């Protein structure tokens, strides 16, 4: 079992004492939290006329731009109750419903009695 010495740290044959670890943590935190430590890490690499030509990997752009790609679309009515049913547009990719949005033509659609919603319900 280890015992604390006069300085409060533990005697360890190998490794760093708790006191030394906390001292190193404090110094490194003070350095990286200081404005000078942060600014040194943000120094410019070189003068680049067109960053897009120099950028090493742009494969992520295809994934980002394709996230809203769809194969098919259809409209449907969201009717949680009997008040002004919302006309929605669904987007499908690979047979899976991926997202929906308001169709904005609800004022042209009505019920069997011919009642339609007003434009004031747009957007919902």
């Amino acid at each position: 079992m280890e015992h604390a010495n006069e300085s409060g740290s533990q005697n360890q044959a190998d490794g760093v004492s708790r006191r030394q670890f906390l001292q190193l943590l404090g110094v490194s935190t003070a350095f990286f939290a200081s404005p000078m430590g942060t600014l040194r890490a943000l120094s410019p690499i070189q003068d680049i006329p067109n960053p897009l030509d120099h950028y090493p990997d742009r494969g992520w752009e295809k994934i980002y731009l394709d996230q809203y790609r769809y194969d098919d679309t259809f409209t449907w009515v969201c009717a949680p109750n009997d008040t002004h049913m919302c006309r929605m547009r669904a987007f499908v990719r690979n047979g899976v419903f991926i997202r929906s949005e308001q169709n904005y033509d609800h004022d042209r659609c009505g019920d069997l009695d011919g009642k339609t919603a007003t434009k004031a319900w747009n957007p919902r």
Side-chain angles (χ1 to χ4, degrees):
M1 184 167 185
E2 299 174 354
H3 298 285
N5 60 18
E6 302 84 37
S7 64
S9 63
Q10 293 181 342
N11 295 327
Q12 295 179 349
D14 54 357
V16 179
S17 72
R18 182 175 187 269
R19 180 174 294 260
Q20 291 170 330
F21 173 76
L22 292 174
Q23 288 172 342
L24 290 171
L25 181 65
V27 170
S28 62
T29 301
F31 174 75
F32 287 110
S34 72
M36 291 311 294
T38 305
L39 291 177
R40 278 189 211 118
L42 297 176
S43 62
I45 297 173
Q46 60 187 357
D47 207 17
I48 300 171
N50 185 355
L52 293 178
D53 288 339
H54 180 74
Y55 197 77
D57 179 25
R58 294 184 59 185
W60 62 270
E61 288 178 344
K62 181 170 177 22
I63 295 169
Y64 177 77
L65 294 173
D66 281 351
Q67 68 181 335
Y68 294 114
R69 180 181 53 83
Y70 59 92
D71 302 328
D72 195 17
T73 182
F74 62 90
T75 58
W76 57 285
V77 175
C78 178
N81 53 29
D82 292 331
T83 61
H84 302 292
M85 299 181 192
C86 296
R87 233 163 100 80
M88 306 293 287
R89 178 169 297 279
F91 297 89
V92 179
R93 180 177 16 186
N94 297 328
V96 177
F97 180 105
I98 57 170
R99 69 183 167 101
S100 69
E101 62 186 34
Q102 188 173 352
N103 203 33
Y104 297 111
D105 67 348
H106 64 278
D107 57 317
R108 293 183 298 222
C109 301
D111 61 9
L112 295 175
D113 295 328
K115 298 176 190 169
T116 61
T118 63
K119 290 185 186 291
W121 283 89
N122 199 17
R124 292 184 69 171

